[in-house]
């Protein structure tokens, strides 16, 4: 899951670098995010369901919650010089997903 989270940040920060071009597409009526968001939510759902089933993470976190958290990290730490911060935030997020010990 952690590796996927890092790759999501790579993807999201690449999109940030293309912000002007993407904004022009949106203004023309196109939705360049529709299919990719659906695919990412499907992948996150599968990852979370597996992790919950194995007891690795809490069961009260949805794929849309994770998508929002990861998008926030990408927006806050999306520049190449901020990658170390993004990695720390991903680790923090993953720690928050873990089930508390019983």
């Amino acid at each position: 899951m952690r590796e996927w989270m890092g790759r999501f940040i790579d993807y999201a920060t690449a999109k940030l670098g293309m912000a002007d071009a993407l904004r022009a597409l949106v203004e023309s009526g196109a939705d360049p995010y529709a299919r990719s968001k659906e695919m990412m939510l499907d992948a996150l759902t599968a990852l979370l369901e597996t992790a919950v089933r194995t007891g690795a993470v809490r069961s009260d976190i949805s794929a849309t919650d994770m998508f929002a958290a990861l998008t926030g990290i990408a927006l806050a730490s999306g520049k190449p010089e901020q990658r170390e911060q993004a990695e720390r935030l991903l680790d923090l997020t993953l720690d928050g997903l873990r089930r508390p010990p019983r």
Side-chain angles (χ1 to χ4, degrees), residues 15 18-33:
K15 292 265 188 190
M18 300 184 298
D20 291 338
L22 291 170
R23 208 173 352 271
L25 275 173
V26 170
E27 288 172 3
S28 75
D31 185 357
Y33 302 105

Side-chain angles (χ1 to χ4, degrees), residues 6-87:
R7 289 178 188 238
F8 177 91
I9 297 300
D10 293 340
Y11 166 82
T13 55
K15 292 265 188 190
L16 291 174
M18 300 184 298
D20 291 338
L22 291 170
R23 208 173 352 271
L25 275 173
V26 170
E27 288 172 3
S28 75
D31 185 357
Y33 302 105
R35 182 70 182 127
S36 58
K37 182 177 180 182
E38 179 184 327
M39 289 174 21
M40 282 187 274
L41 285 173
D42 289 346
L44 266 172
T45 298
L47 284 169
L48 285 170
E49 286 174 353
T50 299
V52 167
R53 225 178 4 262
T54 63
V57 300
R58 300 165 23 184
S59 62
D60 63 334
I61 305 299
S62 71
T64 54
D65 294 338
M66 276 301 302
F67 187 82
L70 295 172
T71 301
I73 292 170
L75 289 171
S77 304
K79 295 179 182 165
E81 63 272 15
Q82 295 173 305
R83 187 55 189 228
E84 286 183 30
Q85 180 185 40
E87 294 294 330

